[in-house]
Amino acid sequence: MIREPFPEPFLTTDGIHNLRDYGGYEGADGAHVRKGLLYRSGQHIEASEADLDLVQSLDIRTIVDFRGLSERTSFPCARHSDFSAEVIAFEGETTSSPPHEGGLDKTDMTAEKGRQRMISVYTRMPVNPAMIGMFKRYFQSLETRGGGNLIHCFAGKDRTGVGASLLLHVLGVHYDDIGTEFMLTNDAPTQHILERQSLPRMEAHYGEIEPEAIRNLIGVREEYIGTYWQEVTRDHGSIDNYLAQTLGVDEQRKARLRDRLLA
């Protein structure tokens, strides 16, 4: 069976949602973020043999898995027989209430409740100790390890979306382009994979879910990343202060990352 190619920047897959290269954007001093080094996706539990061959061909030497221990246990990633990349993960939970797991509130999930649920995710993330630790390890891996780097979580949109956004900011990418990259998740040609993996668990928790609520929960909105930026700026004065003071990405580390990841 011939696989029809997906539109750029998405890589053609059978069972991996939202796999894409998030390079190519203009960064500091007119340089561009290198392509072929930075990848993001959802989890790999349903990866086909062709998907695994594809990932193996990308020379990905580091995978940063933002999922918590319970997610990794329930949804173990498939691996190529020659897989040798280092996997960086947190030995605990990285979120107390991922959208695909439901939550304490079992009332009807309306569109507005779905939106508010996601806003709360992005409000908590800047102060979540587990995610702070994972973002630190993510930046360290980018500075110290060669080859390609892949970040992912369950859906590849929230924890992964923030991680990619922070790196693009470090590389000098304009916020408008950061937002454009973030919103590409809604254009992923693999939404059916995410729905298959997440909707049964959500419906078992909430019952029937309004279509717009589903879009708010498994997609992204500009206000989601805007909320993260707003929370960080309010508490730290700027994203750059947060990067330096909380994540350890000061001007010297920025310069080193730009040397490696801009061309």
Side-chain angles (χ1 to χ4, degrees), residues 50-240:
D51 294 344
L52 296 179
D53 287 342
L54 169 63
V55 172
Q56 190 70 12
S57 74
L58 299 176
D59 191 29
I60 292 170
R61 302 181 196 174
T62 307
I63 293 178
V64 184
D65 187 344
F66 291 130
R67 298 177 302 166
L69 181 60
S70 62
E71 293 172 284
R72 299 197 308 277
T73 301
S74 298
F75 302 92
C77 284
R79 301 295 188 203
H80 193 274
S81 58
D82 295 326
F83 180 82
S84 62
E86 177 181 353
V87 178
I88 297 172
F90 186 73
E91 290 306 315
E93 301 308 323
T94 58
T95 178
S96 60
S97 186
H100 55 276
E101 294 288 354
L104 296 177
D105 183 5
K106 289 199 173 187
T107 59
D108 293 341
M109 178 52 68
T110 64
E112 180 57 21
K113 285 181 180 177
R115 172 184 167 273
Q116 290 294 337
R117 177 101 191 279
M118 295 310 305
I119 291 293
S120 69
V121 168
Y122 285 82
T123 299
R124 293 192 303 266
M125 206 183 308
V127 295
N128 179 340
M131 288 310 301
I132 289 171
M134 285 302 296
F135 287 145
K136 285 181 177 180
R137 296 171 71 186
Y138 165 49
F139 280 110
Q140 183 179 36
S141 73
L142 289 165
E143 185 179 354
T144 60
R145 293 184 55 78
N149 182 292
L150 168 70
I151 56 175
H152 79 87
C153 50
F154 184 99
K157 69 183 187 73
D158 302 315
R159 291 163 287 186
T160 296
V162 168
S165 297
L166 288 171
L167 176 60
L168 292 179
H169 176 84
V170 165
L171 299 178
V173 176
H174 191 278
Y175 182 77
D176 289 349
D177 287 334
I178 291 173
T180 296
E181 201 289 323
F182 180 80
M183 292 297 293
L184 277 174
T185 284
N186 291 339
D187 298 328
T190 49
Q191 296 292 338
H192 60 285
I193 297 172
L194 178 58
E195 291 178 4
R196 183 169 63 239
Q197 294 175 350
S198 59
L199 280 184
R201 299 166 75 88
M202 292 163 57
E203 289 172 343
H205 182 87
Y206 294 114
E208 187 174 355
I209 306 174
E210 294 180 4
E212 186 65 22
I214 293 173
R215 284 190 287 273
N216 286 343
L217 288 167
I218 71 172
V220 292
R221 296 167 61 109
E222 291 179 2
E223 64 181 319
Y224 294 171
I225 192 64
T227 295
Y228 185 94
W229 242 243
Q230 178 180 314
E231 292 294 309
V232 167
T233 302
R234 185 197 64 203
D235 291 345
H236 297 270
S238 70
I239 295 291
D240 294 295

Side-chain angles (χ1 to χ4, degrees), residues 1-14 19 54 187-190:
M1 179 179 176
I2 298 175
R3 304 202 300 180
E4 291 297 325
F6 291 168
E8 291 188 356
F10 298 100
L11 282 72
T12 302
T13 57
D14 302 314
L19 176 60
L54 169 63
D187 298 328
T190 49

